[in-house]
Amino acid sequence: MSLFDLRACTLGHEHIAHAHAHHQLILATCGVTELEIEGHGDRVTGGRGCLIPYAHHHEYEGDGENRTLVLNLPLGALGTLRDGEDMERLFDRPRFFPVPARLNQLAGTLMVQLEQYPALHSEIAALLLRALYLHLEDRTAAADPGFPFARRANERLDLARLNAWIDRHLADDIRVEQLAALCALSPGHFHACFRELTGTTPLAHVQGRRLDHARALIRHGSLSLGHIAALIGFRDQGSFSRAYRRHFDLAPSMERQRALAICRVAGKSS
């Protein structure tokens, strides 16, 4: 095995059970993998990763739709990195851990880079490890669960699942109580956990997804702005336009004019 063995893959429906003589980090950008370490199970998702120290028996089965980063680390490999001795603590015991949105986004970016530039897999692996180390170091020791894994409330937040639900209900009046119920949490507790995980409030997150969806419709469709406003849950075009301008620093009408101009230029050049 090379110093850092990092690969991007899709874990299928086959049930695998084994142990290995190296540490392993597993992160997913989407999908679900059911994983059990010495009798203690959990799920690897876009919002939840896993660290498996060497010689620990584990079993897993993917959903066939995940995109997963698997990093295998020979014993002693971390010693080649800055803060390597401290980073060895990442693997002092098996654990699942919450993956905030910013770390999930970084994993997605690095997955693309890995697929485009496989020769850089060691450098990409080192960057990923450093980011994970800094993320876990920011968490207090009291909040860091030990083995077996006692799932904390904010680790019940499957952000990918929440986003999928939000996107299906953009035209509706989405309330924090509804999102909290999806995670089996009280609204107050959900709000606090969501802010800890994403750095923003649930309703601000919903608003951002509404406006991102609106931008795609404006750029790539011909629906009127009023129709788009209704589709994403605004009561009228005026409130939609004001929110859009605050979010993107650009009026939706100007966004459409830019998109049309780009299309005209592309049509002339083709």
Side-chain angles (χ1 to χ4, degrees):
M1 184 184 297
S2 62
L3 193 59
F4 299 111
D5 176 21
L6 177 66
R7 54 193 172 91
C9 60
T10 297
L11 301 177
H13 293 286
E14 182 183 7
H15 182 85
I16 304 294
H18 60 200
H20 34 62
H22 53 266
H23 300 318
Q24 191 170 74
L25 162 66
I26 305 176
L27 287 174
T29 57
C30 64
V32 177
T33 295
E34 301 291 341
L35 195 148
E36 183 177 290
I37 307 174
E38 297 185 351
H40 299 278
D42 213 316
R43 309 166 79 207
V44 175
T45 69
R48 194 159 174 79
C50 183
L51 291 163
I52 308 174
Y54 82 100
H56 280 74
H57 179 83
H58 55 282
E59 305 178 24
Y60 65 89
E61 182 175 339
D63 63 358
E65 299 178 356
N66 58 85
R67 289 298 292 156
T68 304
L69 282 170
V70 178
L71 174 59
N72 296 317
L73 289 163
L75 299 184
L78 286 171
T80 65
L81 300 178
R82 180 166 62 92
D83 296 327
E85 292 185 4
D86 292 333
M87 292 172 71
E88 284 283 357
R89 295 203 305 269
L90 291 172
F91 297 94
D92 60 0
R93 63 187 183 279
R95 52 178 161 172
F96 295 94
F97 57 89
V99 177
R102 62 185 181 275
L103 183 57
N104 178 264
Q105 291 166 359
L106 175 63
T109 299
L110 293 181
M111 183 178 291
V112 172
Q113 296 300 313
L114 178 64
E115 292 170 340
Q116 293 181 346
Y117 306 103
L120 296 179
H121 74 283
S122 290
E123 290 82 355
I124 294 171
L127 178 58
L128 183 63
L129 277 168
R130 181 69 180 167
L132 176 62
Y133 171 69
L134 292 175
H135 163 59
L136 293 181
E137 280 293 291
D138 284 343
R139 298 166 58 81
T140 63
D144 190 12
F147 182 85
F149 314 112
R151 295 188 62 179
R152 301 186 307 130
N154 68 335
E155 297 169 3
R156 299 182 205 167
L157 271 63
D158 184 340
L159 193 58
R161 177 170 171 261
L162 283 170
N163 284 340
W165 188 91
I166 290 168
D167 290 347
R168 291 195 302 270
H169 295 84
L170 289 175
D172 303 332
D173 179 19
I174 298 175
R175 302 187 307 277
V176 171
E177 291 81 2
Q178 294 170 296
L179 300 176
L182 293 172
C183 302
L185 294 173
S186 70
H189 202 174
F190 170 82
H191 190 283
C193 292
F194 191 94
R195 184 149 197 164
E196 178 187 354
L197 181 65
T198 66
T200 190
T201 66
L203 292 184
H205 181 77
V206 169
Q207 182 86 321
R209 294 196 74 82
R210 292 188 199 277
L211 295 171
D212 286 342
H213 189 68
R215 175 176 253 186
L217 291 174
I218 290 171
R219 288 178 169 180
H220 306 294
S222 59
L223 296 175
S224 70
L225 296 181
H227 192 176
I228 291 173
L231 285 176
I232 63 168
F234 282 84
R235 66 181 182 274
D236 56 60
Q237 185 177 331
S239 59
F240 162 61
S241 295
R242 289 190 293 273
Y244 195 100
R245 189 182 298 108
R246 284 194 301 270
H247 192 72
F248 294 116
D249 199 26
L250 181 70
S253 56
M254 290 298 299
E255 185 87 69
R256 170 144 290 167
Q257 290 178 24
R258 286 187 179 184
L260 291 173
I262 291 171
C263 288
R264 284 195 294 268
V265 171
K268 290 178 182 179
S269 62
S270 61

